[in-house]
Amino acid sequence: MSAAGTAAWSSPDVLRDPATGAWSGSFADLEIAGYHNPATGEVLTYFPVQH
């Protein structure tokens, strides 16, 4: 995982939805979102969010 993805996954404001596997967090001035495996906690994908 890249530095931005790792930082967003570990950020204090990260939100994880165990029902859908969706997650979002922040790194610097970027919002990063993606999907994870709720059973294992493994990040499957992530991408920057455009507002």
Side-chain angles (χ1 to χ4, degrees):
M1 190 181 315
S2 79
T6 300
W9 178 250
S10 303
S11 70
D13 65 342
V14 70
L15 299 174
R16 298 180 183 128
D17 185 338
T20 65
W23 72 276
S24 68
S26 61
F27 169 72
D29 290 335
L30 294 173
E31 180 182 356
I32 307 289
Y35 293 93
H36 73 288
N37 181 333
T40 65
E42 176 186 10
V43 173
L44 303 173
T45 186
Y46 59 92
F47 45 87
V49 175
Q50 273 188 305
H51 292 278

